[in-house]
Amino acid sequence: MADIIAPLTPEQRIAALHAMPHWTYDPDRRAFYRALRLADFAEAIGLMMRIAVVAEKADHHPEWFNVYNRLEIWLTTHDAGDVSQRDIDLAQAIDGFVPIDRHG
């Protein structure tokens, strides 16, 4: 039997977003959201590959959209019907990969 993944409470979600200032909450998707503009396509794909390795190991995969140097990322836990601790963990890993000058 699979483990039940609990969604964050509204209070936990607010606290998580306070600790992750580059992310917002997309209520329509019930997901954390981040948009990035990178130097070029190679940097965007490189970032996506680093994220993919971590996501695969965690068995928790982002929804994303990429055009040239732009990358949009949504993190949600479908089994929980909203965001969960798994999304916080992946968002923090992603933040660690983003070049410092791309945080703004």
Side-chain angles (χ1 to χ4, degrees), residues 5-23:
I5 300 169
L8 298 177
T9 65
E11 294 80 13
Q12 290 170 321
R13 187 176 64 230
I14 290 167
L17 288 169
H18 183 67
M20 303 182 312
H22 304 291
W23 294 86

Side-chain angles (χ1 to χ4, degrees), residues 58-71:
D59 192 27
H60 189 62
H61 306 93
E63 297 176 21
W64 51 24
F65 177 78
N66 164 248
V67 174
Y68 183 59
N69 68 335
R70 292 178 292 135
L71 177 60

Side-chain angles (χ1 to χ4, degrees), residues 9-89:
T9 65
E11 294 80 13
Q12 290 170 321
R13 187 176 64 230
I14 290 167
L17 288 169
H18 183 67
M20 303 182 312
H22 304 291
W23 294 86
T24 60
Y25 182 72
D26 180 337
D28 293 333
R29 288 190 179 208
R30 296 182 181 175
F32 290 138
Y33 171 78
R34 179 156 187 199
L36 294 156
R37 187 171 300 266
L38 298 136
D40 54 26
F41 183 69
E43 188 175 56
I45 290 298
L47 176 60
M48 291 173 75
M49 292 303 299
R50 288 189 298 276
I51 294 168
V53 170
V54 171
E56 187 65 16
K57 286 181 182 176
D59 192 27
H60 189 62
H61 306 93
E63 297 176 21
W64 51 24
F65 177 78
N66 164 248
V67 174
Y68 183 59
N69 68 335
R70 292 178 292 135
L71 177 60
E72 293 181 78
I73 306 168
W74 292 266
L75 303 177
T76 190
T77 303
H78 296 287
D79 293 343
D82 210 309
V83 291
S84 74
Q85 183 61 47
R86 298 179 83 188
D87 301 299
I88 294 171
D89 295 343

